[in-house]
Amino acid sequence: MIHLSAIEAGRLLSKHPKAKRVVEQAKKAQQVDTLHQRVLAQLVGFPEPTTELVFHPRRKWRLDFAWPTHMIAVEIHGGIHSGGRHTRGRGFVEDRAKMNEAALLGWTVIEATPEHIKSGQLRAWLLAAFNQDQDQRTNP
């Protein structure tokens, strides 16, 4: 029996119209998974975050990673170089409303891109955010 990944199968079926779409979907899923693993690697040593936390009392807005007891959250903005939701007009405007509402509710939200994750900047920002936390400042 032969086992092929979706990408390998797509290469073999490159002339088939649906194959290209399947390959692109598989590549995107692989990229999202890799990015998620890189984020998790930078969270090592921090308290366990809540994922996809609904933070607003009336809207169904979610924060990607959140520490509700500290009011710290991380939002990952992917697809910024490929015309993803976060960079197109309506998506950008809606993201600003979401982030402003989070700030008004007292959240410190770190907005990170894949570049911030790869460089380690996300971890540096999290260290700074947790060190500013009142509980951290009172403990020697």
Side-chain angles (χ1 to χ4, degrees):
M1 182 183 281
I2 298 173
H3 294 280
L4 296 174
S5 71
I7 295 170
E8 293 166 331
R11 285 188 194 121
L12 291 173
L13 300 170
S14 61
K15 297 197 189 297
H16 194 278
K18 291 184 181 178
K20 186 173 183 177
R21 196 172 4 176
V22 170
V23 169
E24 291 305 314
Q25 288 172 342
K27 284 181 182 178
K28 184 176 181 178
Q30 203 170 27
Q31 290 171 340
V32 168
D33 187 51
T34 300
L35 184 62
H36 185 73
Q37 293 304 318
R38 286 183 173 161
V39 171
L40 293 178
Q42 292 203 16
L43 300 183
V44 171
F46 290 104
E48 187 74 24
T50 301
T51 56
E52 298 297 322
L53 176 77
V54 176
F55 71 94
H56 196 271
R58 291 182 302 281
R59 300 288 304 262
K60 293 181 182 177
W61 283 321
R62 296 180 311 243
L63 297 167
D64 294 337
F65 299 92
W67 294 266
T69 57
H70 300 279
M71 296 296 284
I72 296 171
V74 171
E75 277 290 294
I76 306 298
H77 297 294
I80 58 171
H81 298 293
S82 62
R85 179 194 182 282
H86 300 290
T87 59
R88 291 192 308 254
R90 183 176 176 159
F92 184 83
V93 169
E94 289 174 2
D95 278 352
R96 300 300 56 80
K98 175 182 169 181
M99 293 300 98
N100 287 335
E101 289 289 334
L104 291 170
L105 291 171
W107 285 93
T108 297
V109 180
I110 298 166
E111 297 185 70
T113 66
E115 287 81 2
H116 297 129
I117 296 160
K118 290 175 192 171
S119 71
Q121 182 64 58
L122 171 59
R123 185 167 180 82
W125 284 330
L126 280 168
L127 286 167
F130 274 92
N131 284 334
Q132 291 174 11
D133 182 73
Q134 195 66 12
D135 293 339
Q136 294 290 328
R137 281 189 268 145
T138 58
N139 293 333

